[in-house]
Amino acid sequence: MTSTPVAVVASDAEDQPERTPELEALYRGFEREMLIPLWTEIGDLMPLAPRSRAVPHLWRWTNLLPMAERAGELVPVGRGGERRAIALANPGLAGRPFATPTLWAAIQYLNPGEDAPVHRHTQNAFRFVVEGEGVWTVVDGDPVAMRRGDFLPQAGWHWHGHHNVTDRPMAWIDGLDIPFQHYADSTFFEFGPDEVETREAPDRSRSERLWGHPGLRPLTHLQPTPATPLLAYRWEHTDRALSEQLALEAEGYRATVEPGHAAVRYVNPTTGDDVMPTLRSEFHRLAPGTATEPVREVGSSVFQVFDGAGEVTVAEHTWKAERGDLFVVPSWQPLRVATDGGLDLFRFSDTPIFEKLHQHRVKGDHQ
Amino acid sequence: MTSTPVAVVASDAEDQPERTPELEALYRGFEREMLIPLWTEIGDLMPLAPRSRAVPHLWRWTNLLPMAERAGELVPVGRGGERRAIALANPGLAGRPFATPTLWAAIQYLNPGEDAPVHRHTQNAFRFVVEGEGVWTVVDGDPVAMRRGDFLPQAGWHWHGHHNVTDRPMAWIDGLDIPFQHYADSTFFEFGPDEVETREAPDRSRSERLWGHPGLRPLTHLQPTPATPLLAYRWEHTDRALSEQLALEAEGYRATVEPGHAAVRYVNPTTGDDVMPTLRSEFHRLAPGTATEPVREVGSSVFQVFDGAGEVTVAEHTWKAERGDLFVVPSWQPLRVATDGGLDLFRFSDTPIFEKLHQHRVKGDHQ
Amino acid sequence: MTSTPVAVVASDAEDQPERTPELEALYRGFEREMLIPLWTEIGDLMPLAPRSRAVPHLWRWTNLLPMAERAGELVPVGRGGERRAIALANPGLAGRPFATPTLWAAIQYLNPGEDAPVHRHTQNAFRFVVEGEGVWTVVDGDPVAMRRGDFLPQAGWHWHGHHNVTDRPMAWIDGLDIPFQHYADSTFFEFGPDEVETREAPDRSRSERLWGHPGLRPLTHLQPTPATPLLAYRWEHTDRALSEQLALEAEGYRATVEPGHAAVRYVNPTTGDDVMPTLRSEFHRLAPGTATEPVREVGSSVFQVFDGAGEVTVAEHTWKAERGDLFVVPSWQPLRVATDGGLDLFRFSDTPIFEKLHQHRVKGDHQ
Amino acid sequence: MTSTPVAVVASDAEDQPERTPELEALYRGFEREMLIPLWTEIGDLMPLAPRSRAVPHLWRWTNLLPMAERAGELVPVGRGGERRAIALANPGLAGRPFATPTLWAAIQYLNPGEDAPVHRHTQNAFRFVVEGEGVWTVVDGDPVAMRRGDFLPQAGWHWHGHHNVTDRPMAWIDGLDIPFQHYADSTFFEFGPDEVETREAPDRSRSERLWGHPGLRPLTHLQPTPATPLLAYRWEHTDRALSEQLALEAEGYRATVEPGHAAVRYVNPTTGDDVMPTLRSEFHRLAPGTATEPVREVGSSVFQVFDGAGEVTVAEHTWKAERGDLFVVPSWQPLRVATDGGLDLFRFSDTPIFEKLHQHRVKGDHQ
């Protein structure tokens, strides 16, 4: 812990008091006493609407994946570094490995036969697989297969490691609330074994066998838990749910967020609420020829294109986005997505933080 | 919004991969693509326990008040600067006017006859009065007297201004969640009239007349609200509640947190929960000769000595604290307070954030 | 447990099947097998709106009190009978001591020096005092004074007894959910000492000293409890809250349920919700010259006139009601109250049951 | 509404006051004033533990089904009688068509081509199918197939009718909270069309297509609802969930309530809580050679044997139960089930009422 000197810098706003010698002396006194007045800072601190330092940005999968592969050659995975994960660093966030002020997003890469060692931390985490398979993430001893389209939550303070049982490398996306917990000073971390505790590689985890039945709850687990006990949300279910929404829309029923726009939220079956206390995760499907209405929302999001292609506009930025590409939407920046051929989008965000603290706002045409 | 270059700086930890030219080339590639690896950053990002950048610090009232008085002579209050408020700037927080990463604490000063203009913002706020009287804060048109010992919450997005109807200046403490909302990009702000809408200066606000009766709820207001509708928590009630706890303890009943340590939390009468979604406020009274057991807690606090004197120890810092002095306790730093002659302490903290997000931990002897 | 024969009685409704010998034989078969068809019973079981067997009824205090006094002469109080309580028996409820299908209301009477022995039961209970004083109800060892206008809740499964420390008898009203718990088969009961465990008769209970401070919660008791920990809601607070509502109305602010009609609900300070899980309690004040708009509500209520006089209309019944008179409003019967000189009304009801089970409905002009 | 005379009948308990002429005169006075003393009634009203009037009883499917078939020949279904439903009448409940004080259970029967007309009511309802298929229940216009093993909830105040589109009759079990709502005076009823509004007979309802995906929630429906929006809980899922629990147990993991005893609760996916506000529904599977530990619980249950056979003991009653047999367990009566060859049991109960009102208790070896 080091001490930073305080500098009271005169704002050039018209409403500032005249810079007399007396005022300068007062400001120097403030500095000595570790004080800063509101009136020189209010413009930055209390804007009329959120002005995030984070900027909209898109990372190309075609750039990310080769770098991860190269890291796979050069950087061992093991105790200390813990994970071969490479994080998106938002250009507005002072060179920190933060996708947004609250969210971490990284590509993780595991070679054949490698183990990512066991640890646990208060950060909430998940994995999402845009392509490939062969790694099992072992959560509290329960091995969970990872395959294309699967969403694999893993809430804070659960032991976990990964092992690649195949002869091919695998890459996937990690999402966490590292920046939020780092900022908020709430992070704890503990080391477990260097090697994952089981070599089992079952098709379905025990968690799915207990919790993966729609509307059915085991009588052994009747208390609500803050995070989901279901450790895998399989692609076949997500895909079917989205297809059904579009089919129901075509039959004339209300099932989509807006025309051509199907969407599901991954939820905790013990509460019906978000999968983890700080992270929201959703999957959106746009039918061919769909353009969404612009939406702006308090809180930030990271999206990954799962399939198809489309045009993404965040505030004044527009990109053509394709499979695997990731982009961020900072707080209160309007987002609009359009596609000719159809688009499947995975999304995660920090919205539960704002909803729980009664700071959430959303503004759009369909909400 | 400006773009910051990313620099992948080799960590000097033993577990880092060897700095070969190939690795350097890879790191340069990361920088081009706005990527940062976890393995060089994990020590900072994921420590074993919270390591706050904020440091324990104490500000002396005998220094603060004269500076506020001087500001009262030199700095007008009005539209633009909005408030003659001077904030505590934690020495660890890079010269920002933040008492802790999440909390704002400032001394505010209003001269006779002055108005602090009307505005509203999403930040939750309160005032606490360590001495003086004469200002009415007008919240949504309801004038609320401010007097020594009163706690005056004012939740986000309510219109408010202040006016001093007396011929004497008045100073008090403002607490807000400005740093948290600034960081999280959730802040909205709106200007109201330059002058406070009423000159009324009643002894009791309408809010107190509706809500200030213990255990009684008006039938016109049966829905729970996220923040308290009671705009003043008067000293006479706080004082009596604390005295009763110590008296009950003396009679042999469990009523205190630990021997000699009485404490109340200010709560929202519509829920029994914290007064505001992000801020906890409490009042603690230590009987003469009391020393508290050390407690460490996730989240940060600001304390103000309301009366008496004592010795405060936060981690390796120890201060003699007296009436009006303010000090901060960063996340997970142990706090211990001892007093010979008795001590009355006002406290506010960001704990509701962590409790709602299931990140709260506390470690101490009486909890 | 005895077995009752089943009789399938032909309904005379037009929509019944023809009473052929074959049908009669089938009905006899039903009876043998303990079966009853829906089609003969649906009219009674599933009416278009609630048709309570309970009827509106008023009991005169001038009749009740002399009978309680006479019981005080003839009937000892002690273990076995437990309480000298005389219950209102709704004329529609088959000679049972039930004010409504769910609510018990009784006048209880205690002579000088008498003890009502200690017991506990799952039934939720309260006392309300229309006149007199001198009895302390001792709840879990905490002696609580009972005086005119006080509302004294005492939630299920807490030990309690009463003792009269004065030289004058005292009468009051007990309200419980005995009929509901009797019907629902959820009642447990346990005997305590024959004599109340303390002769103390303090002005304020320990419960009030801990909990009776508006908006302040002891740090020793931070978990919400299903029933209120505050054992006395004193008349001075209720009276002032109601007066303030009428004063605020006169000043032009929204504070009353409807013009001239002030009302407070007694609530649990740990939740802001009803004082007990099954019982709602309120106090209503009608200013002189006020007539309420008719309201009908699912669930039943018992009212007692605390002061003043008025005309009460429940469905087709109209009574002049005066101090101490009690009347019941069965489910979905419209209630209207009018007063020339002003009227203070205590009310309790079973509404929390219906709200928690999502069966509550209300229909009126001001709701 | 008729008025019942009140009779104060002297209790023969030892603790009663002596029956003097003065006391008799007082009792006659009570009767005139519609009053009943507690001391003569307390033994019945406030027993030491629940003493339900309902008795344990078992109804044989081999008796029920032929009677329902005969009713199918003799009794038309249509407007007025509304349903060809034949209710279990508990021998202890005074000849009323109530399985327990709170629960209705009936066999319903629909001939080929018949419609059960559309209506809605505040009573919560469900259907459970022990054998057969061919009927669609249409809930708010959504046709829901009914097949062996399916559980089909249909919460209060939703329009619904049934139609049999096949050339074979079908029977099933209805469960409702009719007795509770009848007692509590909360029932509303409304007639819809005489014929079901659609002849569609899809394999899967729209509700399943929207809600039947584990852990996935449509973004169009994010608010929690008091009752489940999922209108069918299919046998294939229930069966698999139970099989998995037994398999996990065999692998050494905690997944069963007690050895050999798998169980799931049907839950509302918007909350993780019971399917309806007043009704709990569960499915239990006992592996061959399993005997459950006795459990007693506040609240009453109805069970139906879905498959297999076993020995059921409720208090002092013991029956051999086989496929289709129904039995009731009154409040606080101990239940024990044993099976040689394995047993599948459907259960529903009124437990949510007691949990929400904080009156639930359970006593057993595994709870």
Side-chain angles (χ1 to χ4, degrees):
Chain A
M1 292 176 297
T2 58
S3 180
T4 333
V6 157
V8 178
V9 180
S11 167
D12 52 4
E14 293 179 34
D15 44 33
Q16 292 300 312
E18 197 191 348
R19 303 288 296 207
T20 61
E22 291 80 4
L23 188 67
E24 293 292 343
L26 179 64
Y27 284 3
R28 297 297 85 75
F30 286 167
E31 291 170 0
R32 277 193 308 277
E33 298 295 333
M34 300 308 292
L35 298 171
I36 301 178
L38 174 63
W39 59 85
T40 61
E41 304 282 321
I42 189 168
D44 171 51
L45 290 180
M46 302 179 94
L48 298 186
R51 286 200 311 231
S52 188
R53 294 162 299 133
V55 295
H57 195 77
L58 178 139
W59 289 258
R60 295 267 168 225
W61 188 246
T62 51
N63 291 336
L64 285 177
L65 186 59
M67 292 219 167
E69 289 167 344
R70 185 65 172 145
E73 296 160 10
L74 298 179
V75 180
V77 68
R79 181 57 74 217
E82 299 293 308
R83 298 290 183 262
R84 191 187 289 113
I86 307 159
L88 311 187
N90 191 293
L93 294 177
R96 303 305 312 263
F98 300 159
T100 77
T102 54
L103 299 175
W104 166 277
I107 181 170
Q108 189 174 154
Y109 193 87
L110 208 57
N111 282 315
E114 282 186 335
D115 270 34
V118 177
H119 60 214
R120 64 175 178 175
H121 42 67
T122 49
Q123 286 90 352
N124 294 296
F126 69 83
R127 328 199 176 286
F128 179 73
V129 185
V130 73
E131 60 185 36
E133 62 183 53
V135 168
W136 268 252
T137 177
V138 180
V139 180
D140 291 330
D142 187 6
V144 188
M146 295 169 60
R147 290 181 288 253
R148 170 162 163 81
D150 292 346
F151 169 74
L152 309 134
Q154 173 247 301
W157 215 236
H158 291 270
W159 295 109
H160 60 283
H162 321 306
H163 58 111
N164 186 340
V165 301
T166 68
D167 55 3
R168 291 191 307 180
M170 183 179 171
W172 66 88
I173 293 301
D174 287 334
L176 292 96
D177 56 8
I178 290 176
F180 177 75
Q181 295 210 31
H182 179 256
Y183 157 78
D185 294 327
S186 60
T187 177
F188 292 82
F189 187 96
E190 202 170 343
F191 293 106
D194 288 358
E195 289 192 14
V196 171
E197 57 268 57
T198 172
R199 296 290 126 188
E200 290 177 69
D203 188 53
R204 296 172 73 231
S205 61
R206 297 195 296 271
S207 140
E208 291 163 272
R209 292 164 67 194
L210 260 187
W211 285 101
H213 315 280
L216 299 177
R217 189 161 182 168
L219 246 67
T220 39
H221 296 77
L222 294 174
Q223 292 305 310
T225 52
T228 180
L230 180 58
L231 298 178
Y233 293 69
R234 297 294 174 198
W235 173 240
E236 64 184 280
H237 300 300
T238 307
D239 184 36
R240 192 181 310 144
L242 296 163
S243 300
E244 290 283 22
Q245 286 187 12
L246 291 173
L248 283 164
E249 181 190 72
E251 296 167 28
Y253 299 103
R254 176 171 173 264
T256 51
V257 179
E258 58 189 330
H261 179 182
V264 290
R265 183 170 296 168
Y266 300 100
V267 293
N268 174 353
T270 77
T271 61
D273 219 332
D274 282 298
V275 274
M276 286 176 286
T278 54
L279 297 177
R280 170 160 298 170
S281 294
E282 296 174 348
F283 204 104
H284 293 251
R285 172 168 290 170
L286 303 187
T290 298
T292 66
E293 292 294 331
V295 177
R296 43 173 47 185
E297 196 172 346
V298 164
S300 56
S301 297
V302 178
F303 289 81
Q304 185 173 34
V305 176
F306 181 70
D307 220 344
E311 188 182 77
V312 174
T313 304
V314 182
E316 69 275 30
H317 299 68
T318 296
W319 312 284
K320 297 281 177 194
E322 298 188 340
R323 178 163 162 169
D325 292 351
L326 291 130
F327 60 90
V328 296
V329 183
S331 185
W332 211 239
Q333 299 293 321
L335 167 70
R336 188 176 180 279
V337 183
T339 178
D340 291 334
L343 186 64
D344 271 9
L345 271 175
F346 172 77
R347 176 203 181 200
F348 73 101
S349 75
D350 57 5
T351 325
I353 297 173
F354 300 99
E355 287 187 350
K356 283 179 186 132
L357 301 177
H358 295 275
Q359 293 171 13
H360 191 238
R361 289 193 190 191
V362 64
K363 191 173 174 182
D365 284 327
H366 60 78
Q367 263 152 319
Chain B
M1 293 178 295
T2 58
S3 181
T4 333
V6 157
V8 179
V9 180
S11 168
D12 52 4
E14 293 178 34
D15 44 32
Q16 293 300 311
E18 197 192 347
R19 303 289 295 205
T20 61
E22 291 80 4
L23 188 68
E24 293 292 342
L26 179 64
Y27 283 3
R28 295 299 86 73
F30 286 169
E31 291 170 0
R32 277 194 306 278
E33 297 298 332
M34 300 307 293
L35 298 171
I36 301 178
L38 174 62
W39 59 85
T40 60
E41 304 281 322
I42 189 169
D44 170 52
L45 291 180
M46 302 179 94
L48 297 186
R51 285 200 312 232
S52 187
R53 295 164 297 134
V55 295
H57 195 76
L58 178 138
W59 289 258
R60 296 267 168 225
W61 188 245
T62 51
N63 291 337
L64 284 177
L65 187 60
M67 292 220 168
E69 288 168 344
R70 184 67 172 144
E73 295 161 8
L74 298 178
V75 180
V77 68
R79 182 56 76 218
E82 299 293 306
R83 298 290 183 262
R84 191 186 289 113
I86 306 160
L88 310 187
N90 191 292
L93 294 177
R96 302 306 313 261
F98 300 160
T100 79
T102 55
L103 299 175
W104 167 277
I107 181 170
Q108 188 173 155
Y109 193 86
L110 208 58
N111 281 315
E114 281 187 335
D115 270 34
V118 178
H119 60 214
R120 65 175 178 176
H121 42 69
T122 49
Q123 285 90 352
N124 294 295
F126 70 82
R127 326 199 177 287
F128 178 73
V129 185
V130 73
E131 59 185 36
E133 61 183 52
V135 168
W136 269 252
T137 177
V138 180
V139 181
D140 292 329
D142 187 7
V144 187
M146 295 169 60
R147 289 181 288 252
R148 170 162 163 80
D150 293 345
F151 169 73
L152 309 134
Q154 172 247 301
W157 215 237
H158 291 270
W159 294 109
H160 59 284
H162 320 308
H163 58 111
N164 186 339
V165 300
T166 67
D167 54 4
R168 291 191 306 180
M170 183 179 171
W172 66 88
I173 294 301
D174 288 333
L176 292 96
D177 57 7
I178 290 176
F180 177 75
Q181 295 211 30
H182 179 256
Y183 159 78
D185 294 326
S186 60
T187 177
F188 293 82
F189 187 97
E190 202 170 344
F191 293 106
D194 288 358
E195 290 192 12
V196 172
E197 57 268 57
T198 171
R199 295 291 126 187
E200 291 177 69
D203 187 53
R204 297 172 73 232
S205 61
R206 298 195 296 270
S207 141
E208 291 163 271
R209 293 165 67 194
L210 259 187
W211 284 101
H213 315 281
L216 299 177
R217 189 160 182 170
L219 247 68
T220 39
H221 295 79
L222 295 174
Q223 291 305 309
T225 52
T228 180
L230 180 59
L231 298 178
Y233 293 67
R234 297 295 174 196
W235 174 241
E236 64 183 281
H237 300 300
T238 306
D239 185 36
R240 193 181 309 146
L242 296 164
S243 300
E244 291 282 23
Q245 286 187 12
L246 291 173
L248 283 164
E249 182 191 71
E251 296 166 27
Y253 299 103
R254 177 171 173 263
T256 52
V257 179
E258 57 188 331
H261 178 181
V264 290
R265 184 170 295 166
Y266 300 101
V267 293
N268 174 351
T270 76
T271 61
D273 219 332
D274 282 300
V275 275
M276 287 177 286
T278 54
L279 297 177
R280 169 159 298 171
S281 294
E282 296 174 348
F283 204 104
H284 293 251
R285 171 169 291 172
L286 303 187
T290 298
T292 67
E293 292 294 330
V295 177
R296 41 174 47 186
E297 197 172 345
V298 164
S300 55
S301 296
V302 179
F303 289 81
Q304 185 173 34
V305 176
F306 181 69
D307 220 344
E311 189 181 76
V312 174
T313 304
V314 182
E316 70 275 30
H317 298 68
T318 296
W319 312 284
K320 298 279 176 195
E322 299 188 338
R323 177 162 162 168
D325 292 352
L326 291 131
F327 60 91
V328 296
V329 183
S331 185
W332 212 239
Q333 299 293 322
L335 168 69
R336 188 175 180 279
V337 183
T339 178
D340 291 334
L343 186 63
D344 271 9
L345 271 175
F346 172 77
R347 177 203 181 200
F348 73 101
S349 76
D350 56 5
T351 325
I353 297 173
F354 299 99
E355 287 187 350
K356 283 178 187 134
L357 301 177
H358 295 274
Q359 294 171 13
H360 191 237
R361 289 193 190 191
V362 65
K363 192 174 175 182
D365 283 328
H366 60 79
Q367 263 153 318
Chain C
M1 294 177 297
T2 58
S3 180
T4 333
V6 158
V8 179
V9 180
S11 168
D12 52 3
E14 292 178 36
D15 44 34
Q16 293 299 312
E18 197 190 347
R19 304 287 298 205
T20 61
E22 291 80 3
L23 187 68
E24 292 293 341
L26 179 63
Y27 283 4
R28 296 300 83 77
F30 286 169
E31 291 171 359
R32 277 193 308 276
E33 298 297 332
M34 301 308 292
L35 299 171
I36 301 178
L38 175 63
W39 59 86
T40 61
E41 303 283 320
I42 189 169
D44 170 52
L45 291 180
M46 303 180 92
L48 298 186
R51 283 200 312 233
S52 187
R53 293 162 299 132
V55 295
H57 195 76
L58 178 138
W59 289 259
R60 295 268 167 223
W61 188 246
T62 50
N63 291 335
L64 285 177
L65 187 59
M67 291 218 169
E69 289 167 344
R70 185 64 173 149
E73 296 161 8
L74 298 179
V75 180
V77 69
R79 181 58 73 218
E82 298 293 308
R83 298 290 183 261
R84 192 186 288 113
I86 307 160
L88 310 188
N90 191 292
L93 294 178
R96 303 303 313 261
F98 300 160
T100 78
T102 55
L103 299 175
W104 167 277
I107 180 170
Q108 189 174 154
Y109 192 87
L110 208 57
N111 281 315
E114 282 186 334
D115 270 35
V118 177
H119 60 215
R120 65 176 178 175
H121 42 68
T122 49
Q123 286 89 353
N124 295 295
F126 69 83
R127 320 185 191 294
F128 178 74
V129 186
V130 73
E131 61 185 36
E133 63 182 53
V135 168
W136 268 252
T137 178
V138 181
V139 180
D140 291 329
D142 187 7
V144 187
M146 295 170 59
R147 290 182 287 253
R148 171 162 162 81
D150 293 346
F151 169 73
L152 309 134
Q154 172 247 301
W157 215 237
H158 291 270
W159 295 108
H160 59 284
H162 321 307
H163 59 111
N164 186 340
V165 302
T166 67
D167 56 3
R168 290 190 308 178
M170 182 180 172
W172 67 87
I173 293 302
D174 287 334
L176 293 96
D177 56 8
I178 290 176
F180 177 75
Q181 295 210 31
H182 179 256
Y183 158 79
D185 293 327
S186 60
T187 177
F188 293 82
F189 187 96
E190 202 170 343
F191 294 106
D194 288 359
E195 289 192 14
V196 171
E197 57 268 56
T198 172
R199 296 289 128 188
E200 291 176 68
D203 188 52
R204 297 172 72 231
S205 61
R206 298 195 296 270
S207 139
E208 291 164 272
R209 292 164 68 194
L210 260 185
W211 285 100
H213 315 281
L216 298 177
R217 190 161 180 169
L219 247 67
T220 39
H221 296 78
L222 294 174
Q223 291 306 309
T225 52
T228 180
L230 179 58
L231 298 178
Y233 293 68
R234 298 294 174 197
W235 173 241
E236 64 184 280
H237 299 300
T238 307
D239 185 36
R240 193 180 310 144
L242 296 164
S243 299
E244 291 282 23
Q245 287 187 12
L246 291 173
L248 283 163
E249 182 190 73
E251 296 166 28
Y253 299 103
R254 176 171 172 263
T256 52
V257 179
E258 58 190 330
H261 179 181
V264 290
R265 184 170 296 169
Y266 300 101
V267 294
N268 174 352
T270 76
T271 61
D273 219 330
D274 282 298
V275 274
M276 287 178 285
T278 55
L279 297 178
R280 170 160 297 169
S281 295
E282 297 174 347
F283 204 105
H284 293 251
R285 172 169 290 171
L286 302 187
T290 298
T292 67
E293 292 293 332
V295 177
R296 42 173 47 187
E297 196 172 345
V298 165
S300 56
S301 297
V302 179
F303 289 81
Q304 185 174 32
V305 176
F306 181 70
D307 221 345
E311 188 181 76
V312 173
T313 303
V314 182
E316 69 274 30
H317 299 68
T318 297
W319 311 284
K320 298 280 176 194
E322 298 189 338
R323 177 162 162 168
D325 292 352
L326 291 131
F327 60 90
V328 296
V329 183
S331 185
W332 210 240
Q333 299 293 321
L335 167 69
R336 187 176 182 278
V337 183
T339 179
D340 291 333
L343 186 64
D344 271 10
L345 270 176
F346 172 77
R347 177 202 181 202
F348 74 101
S349 76
D350 57 4
T351 325
I353 297 173
F354 299 99
E355 287 186 351
K356 283 177 185 134
L357 302 177
H358 295 275
Q359 294 172 13
H360 191 237
R361 290 194 190 191
V362 63
K363 191 174 174 181
D365 284 328
H366 60 80
Q367 265 154 316
Chain D
M1 294 179 296
T2 59
S3 180
T4 333
V6 157
V8 179
V9 179
S11 168
D12 52 4
E14 292 179 35
D15 45 33
Q16 293 300 311
E18 196 191 348
R19 302 289 297 205
T20 61
E22 290 80 3
L23 187 68
E24 292 294 341
L26 179 63
Y27 283 4
R28 295 299 86 74
F30 286 168
E31 291 171 0
R32 278 193 308 275
E33 297 297 331
M34 301 307 293
L35 299 170
I36 300 178
L38 174 62
W39 58 85
T40 60
E41 304 282 321
I42 189 169
D44 171 51
L45 290 180
M46 303 180 94
L48 297 186
R51 284 199 313 233
S52 187
R53 294 163 297 133
V55 295
H57 196 77
L58 178 138
W59 289 259
R60 296 269 167 224
W61 188 245
T62 51
N63 292 336
L64 285 177
L65 187 59
M67 291 217 169
E69 289 167 344
R70 185 63 173 148
E73 295 161 9
L74 298 179
V75 180
V77 68
R79 182 56 74 219
E82 299 292 308
R83 298 290 184 261
R84 191 188 289 114
I86 307 160
L88 310 187
N90 191 292
L93 294 178
R96 303 305 313 261
F98 300 161
T100 79
T102 55
L103 299 175
W104 168 278
I107 180 169
Q108 189 174 155
Y109 193 85
L110 208 58
N111 281 315
E114 282 186 336
D115 271 34
V118 178
H119 60 215
R120 66 175 177 176
H121 42 67
T122 49
Q123 286 89 352
N124 294 295
F126 69 82
R127 321 189 187 292
F128 178 74
V129 186
V130 74
E131 60 185 36
E133 60 183 54
V135 169
W136 269 251
T137 178
V138 181
V139 180
D140 291 329
D142 186 7
V144 187
M146 296 169 60
R147 288 181 289 251
R148 171 162 163 81
D150 293 346
F151 169 72
L152 310 134
Q154 170 248 302
W157 215 237
H158 291 270
W159 294 108
H160 59 284
H162 321 306
H163 58 111
N164 186 340
V165 301
T166 67
D167 54 3
R168 291 191 307 179
M170 181 178 172
W172 65 89
I173 294 300
D174 288 333
L176 293 97
D177 57 8
I178 290 176
F180 178 75
Q181 295 211 29
H182 179 256
Y183 157 78
D185 294 326
S186 61
T187 177
F188 292 82
F189 187 97
E190 202 170 344
F191 293 106
D194 288 358
E195 290 192 13
V196 172
E197 57 269 56
T198 171
R199 295 291 126 187
E200 292 176 68
D203 187 53
R204 297 173 72 233
S205 62
R206 298 195 296 270
S207 140
E208 292 163 271
R209 293 163 68 193
L210 261 186
W211 284 101
H213 315 281
L216 299 177
R217 190 160 181 169
L219 247 67
T220 39
H221 295 79
L222 295 174
Q223 290 306 309
T225 52
T228 180
L230 179 59
L231 298 178
Y233 293 67
R234 297 296 174 196
W235 174 241
E236 64 183 281
H237 300 300
T238 306
D239 185 36
R240 193 181 308 145
L242 296 164
S243 300
E244 291 281 25
Q245 287 187 12
L246 291 173
L248 284 163
E249 182 191 70
E251 296 167 28
Y253 299 103
R254 177 170 171 263
T256 53
V257 178
E258 57 189 330
H261 178 181
V264 290
R265 184 170 296 168
Y266 299 101
V267 294
N268 173 352
T270 76
T271 60
D273 218 332
D274 282 299
V275 274
M276 287 177 286
T278 54
L279 297 177
R280 170 160 298 170
S281 295
E282 297 174 348
F283 204 104
H284 294 251
R285 171 169 291 173
L286 302 187
T290 298
T292 67
E293 293 293 331
V295 177
R296 42 174 46 186
E297 196 173 345
V298 164
S300 55
S301 297
V302 178
F303 290 81
Q304 185 173 33
V305 176
F306 181 70
D307 221 344
E311 189 182 77
V312 174
T313 303
V314 183
E316 69 274 31
H317 298 68
T318 297
W319 311 284
K320 298 279 177 195
E322 299 189 337
R323 177 162 162 168
D325 292 352
L326 292 131
F327 59 91
V328 296
V329 183
S331 184
W332 211 237
Q333 299 293 320
L335 168 69
R336 187 176 182 279
V337 184
T339 178
D340 291 333
L343 186 64
D344 271 9
L345 271 176
F346 172 78
R347 177 203 181 201
F348 73 101
S349 76
D350 56 4
T351 325
I353 296 174
F354 299 99
E355 287 187 351
K356 283 177 187 135
L357 301 177
H358 296 275
Q359 294 171 13
H360 191 238
R361 291 193 189 191
V362 65
K363 191 174 175 182
D365 284 328
H366 60 79
Q367 265 153 318

